[in-house]
Amino acid sequence: MSSEETTSSRRRSTRSTRTATKSPGARPPPSIRKKKNALKEDNHTSTIVNGEVVEFQPTFEIIVLGSGGGPLETDCSGYLVKAASSSWEDGVLALEGGSGLGALASILSNPTTKASTLFPGLRFPPGYTTPLLQAAHVFSFLACYLITHAHLDHVGSLIMLSGSVPPKSHQHTQPPTNAISPSKEAKVTHPRPHVYGTRRMLVKLSQAYQGGLWPELGSWVPDREGDTSTPQSNGNGMGRKKRKVEEQSVKGPNGAVDVTEENYDNSCLLFSPLSTERVHRPLHPTLPISLLTYPVAHGCTSKHTYQSSAMFIRHDPSAITQSTPSTPSSTSSTKTKGKGREFLFFGDLESSYRSPGEQNVDVERGREAKELNDVIWKEASGTYKDGRLCGIFIECSYDSSRPAHLMFGHLSPPGLYHELKTLASFVSKTDERPLKGLKIFVIHIKDALVPHPSGRTAREIIMSELNELEAKGQLGVEFVETKQGDRIVI
């Protein structure tokens, strides 16, 4: 790993490699610095555990397809994730689906971005020389989507790509040999990625697949073992109990076709509800990833609080139960590298924080947000103290001048820092810099459409405010501005 990849995020260009390798704060003694520099050359990373530097090999590689929060449709939430010790061919997790294939093609069309730099070790087949074909090749390794909530800036690309997920082979799109009486294998001519999320989120997403907004391309998979989720209305007054009856007539929530032996082959993506148990569960059978999901509040509708999700995404080689062509050669090394390390990824969320003079704005939702968020921070505090927390991806949509009644279920720098102080309180009430070494990847910044009087962009203002809060608060965190086209190694 070059020294260029480990410099401060503030000195990197929009499309660059970001590697979480060094911890902020006091400069370590020369012996530790020497050891850390040697490790960097061997593609290692480090973290702080009980005040000591602990070295790890990188656990995850993340490509940022989009990190904005709107209003630009060209930069919405979308990330490609894989285990650092696995190859891209082993399978890719699409975390959020706001930006996708088109965004990657646009990134690769930039003259300063090389596919070999963004996807080191990935070889493209002969003829895959255009940005679109190279992006399609990467997406051919898509194993599944993981979605925090169903707002369009998080699922727009997913919907558009339904039915057109690039095949793993050009043979995939050829017609069957026997056009009159094709075999069952010949009928299955398209990939069917799973879409994972809470049942409540998937019910909302499935509304796009009723034939009006998009063709009826979605199917429901049977409930996972141990799913104890409570019945949820699907928007038509029908909950899970009703859906069980509908399964017999090959219908699922909101009219989405349910998975049966007869109609499974007609679907182009599979709605797969996550377990609500508070334990890590395997995500997809081909990925060394397990997941722990919590609900968060994200504003409200005319009927109820709108739920988003926070997800602890853990490197877990034991989660692989189905091999891919290149899995056998990679899993042996995967089992000893970074096992158990995880990052925390938030969908959109709100805080209980209110600025002076606004304490009476949305009081009930503030209480609800605190109750939900505190549970997550307690879990994160244990992971951090164990040295397993690679970083936190969390939104900061607006700057601090945004009034509370116009936040629409989002965070500003004071709200974000308030949440981090809550995490710090669970870690230690006495230590100085209790979150020393923790990387906070700032996402979902909403770009301004009118110039700011200072001449600065929304991103510049928000990052400046966050750094000023840290300069005063001294939690020990490092804020990293996450940009479209970044390659993040943690």
Side-chain angles (χ1 to χ4, degrees):
M1 182 180 302
S2 67
S3 59
E4 181 181 355
E5 291 177 317
T6 59
T7 55
S8 169
S9 63
R10 291 184 293 274
R11 297 170 56 190
R12 298 184 180 94
S13 61
T14 298
R15 294 182 174 88
S16 61
T17 299
R18 299 182 177 218
T19 309
T21 55
K22 64 178 183 178
S23 301
R27 187 173 175 81
S31 60
I32 294 181
R33 292 203 304 269
K34 183 176 180 181
K35 185 176 182 180
K36 286 175 69 180
N37 289 336
L39 287 169
K40 287 178 185 178
E41 295 176 1
D42 193 29
N43 203 32
H44 285 64
T45 184
S46 62
T47 190
I48 304 294
V49 182
N50 297 325
E52 299 293 328
V53 178
V54 178
E55 290 78 23
F56 295 91
Q57 290 188 336
T59 306
F60 293 100
E61 291 183 38
I62 303 172
I63 304 300
V64 182
L65 302 179
S67 65
L72 300 178
E73 72 277 8
T74 55
D75 186 9
C76 295
S77 299
Y79 307 82
L80 297 180
V81 181
K82 77 171 185 68
S85 54
S86 300
S87 69
W88 291 101
E89 292 88 346
D90 287 334
V92 178
L93 165 64
L95 178 56
E96 306 285 46
S99 287
L101 181 65
L104 181 55
S106 178
I107 291 169
L108 294 175
S109 66
N110 189 298
T112 63
T113 303
K114 294 183 179 180
S116 59
T117 301
L118 206 57
F119 302 97
L122 178 60
R123 294 185 178 181
F124 293 92
Y128 283 67
T129 58
T130 68
L132 178 56
L133 289 176
Q134 291 176 344
H137 185 62
V138 172
F139 265 77
S140 72
F141 305 124
L142 179 66
C144 60
Y145 285 92
L146 178 59
I147 307 298
T148 61
H149 63 292
H151 282 166
L152 284 176
D153 58 325
H154 294 254
V155 300
S157 174
L158 182 164
I159 295 172
M160 291 289 289
L161 195 60
S162 301
S164 302
V165 176
K168 296 184 184 299
S169 167
H170 70 279
Q171 299 290 336
H172 205 74
T173 57
Q174 300 303 309
T177 303
N178 188 345
I180 298 177
S181 179
S183 65
K184 182 177 180 180
E185 289 74 19
K187 291 181 183 178
V188 186
T189 59
H190 50 75
R192 291 186 296 267
H194 286 248
V195 181
Y196 294 105
T198 64
R199 178 175 298 280
R200 180 178 294 188
M201 185 284 294
L202 291 175
V203 166
K204 291 180 173 64
L205 177 60
S206 70
Q207 294 173 9
Y209 293 90
Q210 298 182 47
L213 294 178
W214 202 249
E216 298 171 287
L217 301 178
S219 299
W220 287 81
V221 300
D223 289 350
R224 289 183 166 194
E225 181 182 358
D227 185 356
T228 58
S229 57
T230 57
Q232 300 291 343
S233 171
N234 64 14
N236 295 324
M238 296 180 290
R240 285 187 64 199
K241 193 169 184 180
K242 177 66 175 176
R243 190 175 79 84
K244 291 295 184 181
V245 176
E246 286 190 329
E247 286 177 358
Q248 301 174 13
S249 59
V250 201
K251 286 289 182 179
N254 293 300
V257 180
D258 214 348
V259 177
T260 67
E261 183 69 21
E262 290 76 20
N263 63 45
Y264 185 84
D265 293 344
N266 296 326
S267 63
C268 290
L269 84 172
L270 306 174
F271 302 126
S272 185
L274 295 170
S275 170
T276 59
E277 294 183 51
R278 290 293 177 254
V279 294
H280 275 268
R281 299 288 298 270
L283 181 62
H284 186 274
T286 67
L287 299 179
I289 291 174
S290 61
L291 188 75
L292 176 59
T293 305
Y294 289 91
V296 295
H298 175 33
C300 64
T301 68
S302 60
K303 300 177 181 178
H304 49 67
T305 298
Y306 188 89
Q307 275 195 6
S308 179
S309 305
M311 300 169 169
F312 289 87
I313 299 174
R314 176 178 293 180
H315 180 226
D316 183 3
S318 66
I320 298 179
T321 58
Q322 179 180 329
S323 63
T324 62
S326 58
T327 296
S329 62
S330 62
T331 51
S332 59
S333 61
T334 300
K335 293 179 181 178
T336 59
K337 296 179 180 179
K339 181 180 179 181
R341 299 203 75 210
E342 61 190 16
F343 65 93
L344 172 57
F345 186 92
F346 281 92
D348 300 351
L349 77 156
E350 58 186 298
S351 172
S352 61
Y353 171 84
R354 299 293 184 270
S355 62
E358 294 187 318
Q359 290 86 347
N360 295 326
V361 177
D362 292 334
V363 174
E364 289 302 318
R365 284 224 313 281
R367 291 196 187 106
E368 182 179 16
K370 176 175 174 53
E371 180 179 346
L372 293 172
N373 295 349
D374 281 4
V375 175
I376 298 167
W377 295 131
K378 287 179 182 178
E379 174 71 24
S381 68
T383 299
Y384 172 78
K385 287 188 285 188
D386 290 343
R388 294 185 290 109
L389 188 60
C390 300
I392 297 175
F393 290 74
I394 188 168
E395 70 128 294
C396 193
S397 296
Y398 302 108
D399 65 43
S400 60
S401 67
R402 188 84 171 186
H405 72 283
L406 294 178
M407 290 299 295
F408 306 123
H410 291 292
L411 297 180
S412 63
L416 171 51
Y417 206 75
H418 170 84
E419 295 300 322
L420 293 178
K421 287 194 291 186
T422 302
L423 169 60
S425 71
F426 290 126
V427 171
S428 173
K429 296 185 182 299
T430 59
D431 291 350
E432 294 183 3
R433 303 171 65 81
L435 300 182
K436 184 178 180 182
L438 182 59
K439 298 272 185 176
I440 308 298
F441 295 92
V442 183
I443 59 177
H444 208 268
I445 294 176
K446 291 181 177 289
D447 291 313
L449 299 182
V450 295
H452 191 268
S454 68
R456 296 182 297 170
T457 66
R459 288 176 175 269
E460 290 171 337
I461 294 172
I462 287 173
M463 295 306 300
S464 174
E465 291 180 347
L466 288 171
N467 287 319
E468 288 173 3
L469 287 167
E470 170 57 17
K472 296 178 182 178
Q474 293 293 300
L475 294 180
V477 300
E478 179 181 351
F479 291 108
V480 180
E481 181 185 357
T482 307
K483 297 181 181 179
Q484 186 176 47
D486 281 347
R487 175 176 175 262
I488 300 173
V489 180
I490 54 177

